[in-house]
Amino acid sequence: MSGIDTEEYAKSLDEKFPTYRDEFFVPTLGSLGCPVGEDKKEEQGFYFCGNSLGLMPKATENAVQNELEAWKGRAVVSHFNHPTSHGWVDCDVPLNAYLKDIVGAKDASEVAIMNTLTGNLHSMMSSFYKPTKDRYKILFENKAFPSDTYAFQGQAKLHGFSIEDALMPLSPRDGEFTLRKEDILDVIEKEGDKIAVVIFSGIQYYTGQLFDIPEITKAAKAKGCVVGWDLAHAVGNVPLKLHDWDVDFAVFCTYKYLNSGPGAIGGLFLHSKHEKDNRPRLAGWWGNNPETRFNMANEFDPVPGASGYKMSNPSVLNVACLAESLKLFSKAGGMGPLREKSLSMTGYMEQLLTQSSYYVPVEKSHGYDNIKDPKFTIITPLDPESRGAQLSVLFLPLGKGLMQHVFKYLEDHGVIGDERQPDVIRLAPNHLYNTHWETLKAVQYVFQGIDDFLKKN
């Protein structure tokens, strides 16, 4: 290699960017169960799986304990008279001020914390998917995260349409892994008059492809389509300007790049142009005007904006966890500086991988039958503007156990990514708590895992 694979070089890159690693609990080799001696059990592992579950901020532990103490000491009284902070009745409201900057909302009224991602997706589709006999199709990417696909199937059936007729899953071209923007725009232009809703992932979970949200949104709106986005892998990962891009709605989870904990609360963006349209919705008590909520009236009086779609009071412990992570985003200066570091670390990982003799360019990897020796390619776009903080590495030849061997090798050495069967490992350098030095070490372990496979096979 050309010197970029040295610790000195990696650390020189780290000097250019602040790190918030010390603000997080990082799993150790011992806590991960790695087969190491006692002298190494307290060493930190290499966590590259924030695209699946973010690490726990250290402040979260105390924040949750405070809520447990409030429950223990005051019980129901803490809803309005909390011993240390916001009352539970509106504990989620302060978080909107942080979220609006992360998603690019005009103001806090366009965002809300509620439900789960799929619950919010069903909620938005129930209000915005209003099919007619001429315009009833849902355009989305084939191989979307399964939960999204199930939601679209369910919505089509609930409206009396067959899945085959109503759903328009768009696949990459033969032999390609990612969707071309021009193909998406072409379908919108040709079929837009039949499409009721266009809804893609901001970042595709498997390939890591970042879609051109503003251009796709603009094209779909020009054809009269409603436009929504699933931002599960995009929120807290890349800068967003949902209001300026004229997105109708977006849904997201908060436990990946927003580090709020396993299965934590979801979030919602609703463009302000819809804040008072009072469209039918899956209404609930917490979407009612807080000034009249406790009148227990039968008439629904919705809060203008995203909060009018809340159904139930939020989980206090979930909100406490999310709050501590959002404070770190603010401390870091928002998504601008974090994106700069993300681009640098992910680009560095790409450089290290592509200079290896084991690497084959993605266009050459399609001749699977011609690849006999252990190799890998990267199915994530190599254009930095077309991806977030993730590289999806495809191991070749397919189905020969190389990926599984490398993944086990990584786990044994404290490198945590995630596997997507049968042959992909996803690695996501996180801009809050990972470093270029860690990135170097993780890639070196990938190479060592391949070497180990060759020795044993």
Side-chain angles (χ1 to χ4, degrees):
M1 289 195 182
S2 58
I4 67 169
D5 60 334
T6 65
E7 293 194 10
E8 292 76 16
Y9 182 82
K11 290 178 179 179
S12 72
L13 293 177
D14 283 327
E15 291 175 358
K16 300 177 181 180
F17 302 96
T19 180
Y20 302 91
R21 183 180 182 81
D22 290 342
E23 305 275 4
F24 291 85
F25 289 111
V26 180
T28 64
L29 300 184
S31 68
L32 290 169
C34 299
V36 297
E38 289 295 326
D39 59 327
K40 292 193 176 290
K41 285 190 174 181
E42 295 305 312
E43 291 184 10
Q44 290 183 340
F46 306 93
Y47 193 80
F48 286 84
C49 206
N51 57 320
S52 186
L53 177 67
L55 289 181
M56 177 180 169
K58 292 179 178 177
T60 298
E61 193 168 36
N62 187 59
V64 170
Q65 188 59 44
N66 285 342
E67 300 307 337
L68 294 176
E69 292 296 325
W71 182 17
K72 180 172 70 175
R74 295 194 181 181
V76 71
V77 174
S78 290
H79 277 92
F80 293 97
N81 186 4
H82 196 283
T84 60
S85 63
H86 246 73
W88 291 339
V89 72
D90 59 356
C91 64
D92 59 316
V93 173
L95 275 60
N96 294 343
Y98 294 105
L99 269 179
K100 72 175 179 63
D101 295 328
I102 291 176
V103 304
K106 182 184 72 171
D107 55 44
S109 71
E110 288 189 323
V111 292
I113 300 298
M114 65 181 85
N115 307 330
T116 61
L117 183 151
T118 306
N120 288 333
L121 180 56
H122 271 297
S123 178
M124 290 294 96
M125 292 294 288
S126 295
S127 290
F128 284 89
Y129 179 50
K130 298 301 179 186
T132 67
K133 65 181 181 64
D134 298 317
R135 187 189 286 270
Y136 58 90
K137 293 185 179 291
I138 302 170
L139 178 65
F140 64 107
E141 83 251 31
N142 196 14
K143 299 299 182 181
F145 198 83
S147 188
D148 286 14
T149 301
Y150 304 155
F152 303 149
Q153 291 172 348
Q155 289 292 326
K157 290 181 178 179
L158 285 168
H159 287 86
F161 294 96
S162 70
I163 292 173
E164 295 76 15
D165 192 23
L167 269 54
M168 294 182 64
L170 186 58
S171 298
R173 297 183 186 185
D174 288 344
E176 298 185 357
F177 294 100
T178 56
L179 280 167
R180 297 191 185 191
K181 179 174 66 175
E182 58 264 33
D183 291 347
I184 299 174
L185 298 180
D186 185 58
V187 170
I188 291 173
E189 179 60 31
K190 292 178 178 177
E191 304 289 339
D193 293 340
K194 303 174 185 176
I195 299 171
V197 177
V198 173
I199 181 161
F200 286 86
S201 304
I203 290 181
Q204 216 281 338
Y205 82 97
Y206 181 73
T207 65
Q209 178 183 11
L210 169 61
F211 289 107
D212 190 332
I213 299 177
E215 190 165 349
I216 293 170
T217 300
K218 181 179 179 181
K221 298 304 284 291
K223 298 294 288 188
C225 308
V226 169
V227 182
W229 290 88
D230 172 355
L231 301 178
H233 289 82
V235 68
N237 182 357
V238 295
L240 300 166
K241 298 180 180 179
L242 300 184
H243 178 85
D244 292 346
W245 294 339
D246 200 28
V247 171
D248 289 304
F249 68 85
V251 297
F252 50 92
C253 55
T254 65
Y255 52 80
K256 302 182 190 299
Y257 293 95
L258 295 186
N259 315 300
S260 64
I265 199 164
L268 171 71
F269 166 86
L270 180 75
H271 199 282
S272 58
K273 65 185 176 183
H274 300 298
E275 67 179 2
K276 294 181 180 179
D277 60 15
N278 288 333
R279 67 180 60 229
R281 65 192 71 187
L282 300 179
W285 187 34
W286 230 248
N288 197 79
N289 183 347
E291 301 298 324
T292 61
R293 182 181 296 151
F294 289 91
N295 293 346
M296 304 302 188
N298 288 334
E299 295 77 24
F300 181 57
D301 179 18
V303 181
S307 291
Y309 286 81
K310 294 180 184 178
M311 297 178 191
S312 303
N313 50 318
S315 163
V316 171
L317 300 184
N318 278 185
V319 170
C321 292
L322 178 57
E324 297 310 316
S325 178
L326 293 180
K327 291 174 186 176
L328 291 177
F329 278 86
S330 181
K331 181 177 180 179
M335 289 308 304
L338 291 174
R339 175 62 168 167
E340 288 183 23
K341 183 179 180 182
S342 176
L343 287 168
S344 181
M345 282 196 298
T346 307
Y348 183 49
M349 178 175 281
E350 178 202 321
Q351 281 184 290
L352 292 168
L353 289 169
T354 56
Q355 288 194 24
S356 166
S357 60
Y358 290 129
Y359 171 75
V360 292
V362 68
E363 63 270 15
K364 294 183 180 179
S365 69
H366 301 322
Y368 298 133
D369 295 339
N370 298 322
I371 295 177
K372 306 299 182 184
D373 298 324
K375 299 286 184 181
F376 66 81
T377 192
I378 299 172
I379 63 173
T380 306
L382 297 187
D383 173 13
E385 297 303 320
S386 297
R387 68 187 183 207
Q390 173 186 326
L391 292 181
S392 296
V393 183
L394 175 70
F395 289 84
L396 304 165
L398 299 177
K400 299 300 183 181
L402 175 60
M403 184 279 281
Q404 290 78 8
H405 187 94
V406 172
F407 189 75
K408 179 65 164 57
Y409 190 91
L410 293 175
E411 284 191 322
D412 286 348
H413 291 81
V415 181
I416 304 302
D418 79 343
E419 59 179 336
R420 290 291 163 179
Q421 296 290 346
D423 294 292
V424 167
I425 293 176
R426 301 185 306 170
L427 297 170
N430 188 285
H431 29 279
L432 281 172
Y433 48 73
N434 285 131
T435 65
H436 293 80
W437 176 80
E438 284 187 286
T439 300
L440 170 64
K441 299 299 290 184
V443 172
Q444 288 175 340
Y445 280 122
V446 170
F447 298 158
Q448 291 173 24
I450 300 175
D451 291 340
D452 190 64
F453 179 85
L454 283 168
K455 289 177 184 178
K456 295 177 178 178
N457 293 273

